Amino acid sequence: ARVPLSLTEVNLSWGVGIPVLFVKTGEKLPKVQAEISYTGTGRLKGRWELVKPGETPPEPRDLLTEATLPIEERGTQRRYTEIERFNIYLPPTGKISLPGPEVVRVDESLSGLYLLLLRIEATEDKDSETDLTAAGAGNGTVNGGAVAGFSLPVLRYYVGNSEQVAIPVTTQLIQVTPLDLAELDPSQVVEFRWSSIDNAATYLLEIRNLQDQEQLSSVLVKGVERYQAPSWLRTKVGASVVHWKVSAFDTKHHLISETGWRSLKFRAGTD
């Protein structure tokens, strides 16, 4: 008690044991749950937001809690469709299960990949206030409740109407291009390709940096074993090394095969 609220761990889940949910248009989503570990006490205030297909995905900085940002950068994070708000008091117990938004309020009107975000706002608890005058940093106070030293996780779900029939044959999933350790021309379109797997209903392509921060992800249905990266990927990763892999899921959304990680980077040059 009487210690500023700080988040130490946050885990989001659908409660059904799979990382990416696949639903048909109109199908009811399972209940979302956020398991939060923390120190201190204070109010946990924030909102749930939805990233729809075609929208620019959030950067790792966009997923930081508001109190983690310098005061001059607060309010500059990318915003998405707000679907529910919360404001609860956390006693000094160290753990809480925060229920997610009502499933009927989560959009399924478009086909494609959705991201469900947990956004935590800075709280105005007295114990978390910093007196700028006393610190010799200006006038007024800064609210620092609910600080966290990491980007918050996201939940993904894919909406589609295609009917898939499972075939009880499993083959190895193999990456085709780009090759491992490839150096790509920044002026060319980047296409990721992988082998088809007979009993796969969907594929998940993931691109992450060496700090394991997601740079891009996409879900594709069976028969689409290639993906052209958007032009903003080159700008986003710059000259950094990133790695990519593909996972295959069956009609019941169970992981049936996945590749290892391959590395790539863009050569220096004018885009």
Side-chain angles (χ1 to χ4, degrees), residues 70-222:
I71 185 65
E72 65 273 10
E73 294 184 17
R74 297 183 184 181
T76 63
Q77 291 170 301
R78 186 176 283 113
R79 296 288 296 264
Y80 300 94
T81 303
E82 182 179 308
I83 54 177
E84 189 171 287
R85 296 190 63 85
F86 55 87
N87 189 341
I88 59 175
Y89 177 75
L90 299 186
T93 57
K95 289 184 180 295
I96 187 174
S97 293
L98 176 71
E102 292 296 327
V103 291
V104 294
R105 301 191 65 185
V106 180
D107 194 342
E108 301 171 21
S109 59
L110 300 173
S111 294
L113 182 67
Y114 291 77
L115 304 180
L116 184 61
L117 311 182
L118 173 63
R119 315 302 293 271
I120 304 296
E121 301 168 3
T123 56
E124 302 173 357
D125 297 311
K126 194 69 177 178
D127 293 329
S128 66
E129 289 183 351
T130 299
D131 188 339
L132 296 179
T133 303
N139 299 316
T141 59
V142 175
N143 298 312
V147 68
F150 52 89
S151 299
L152 298 181
V154 303
L155 276 179
R156 302 175 179 83
Y157 69 96
Y158 180 83
V159 176
N161 289 316
S162 59
E163 293 288 346
Q164 302 291 342
V165 178
I167 302 174
V169 177
T170 301
T171 58
Q172 185 179 3
L173 189 61
I174 300 173
Q175 294 155 295
V176 178
T177 59
L179 300 176
D180 195 21
L181 304 178
E183 292 193 11
L184 306 179
D185 186 338
S187 65
Q188 301 297 317
V189 174
V190 180
E191 183 175 78
F192 296 88
R193 297 182 60 190
W194 53 92
S195 64
S196 174
I197 184 170
D198 288 340
N199 58 337
T202 51
Y203 301 101
L204 172 64
L205 169 68
E206 299 176 85
I207 304 175
R208 294 179 173 270
N209 62 21
L210 299 185
Q211 289 72 48
D212 201 36
Q213 296 169 330
E214 182 179 287
Q215 305 298 293
L216 181 149
S217 67
S218 182
V219 176
L220 301 104
V221 297
K222 182 179 180 179

Side-chain angles (χ1 to χ4, degrees), residues 243-258:
H243 52 195
W244 67 284
K245 79 170 186 176
V246 180
S247 305
F249 299 84
D250 64 14
T251 55
K252 296 184 179 180
H253 321 311
H254 296 144
L255 177 66
I256 54 177
S257 185
E258 62 181 349

Side-chain angles (χ1 to χ4, degrees), residues 39-60:
T39 61
T41 58
R43 301 204 68 82
L44 184 70
K45 183 173 68 173
R47 60 196 184 273
W48 294 91
E49 292 182 354
L50 189 67
V51 184
K52 298 180 180 181
E55 293 184 319
T56 302
E59 302 277 351

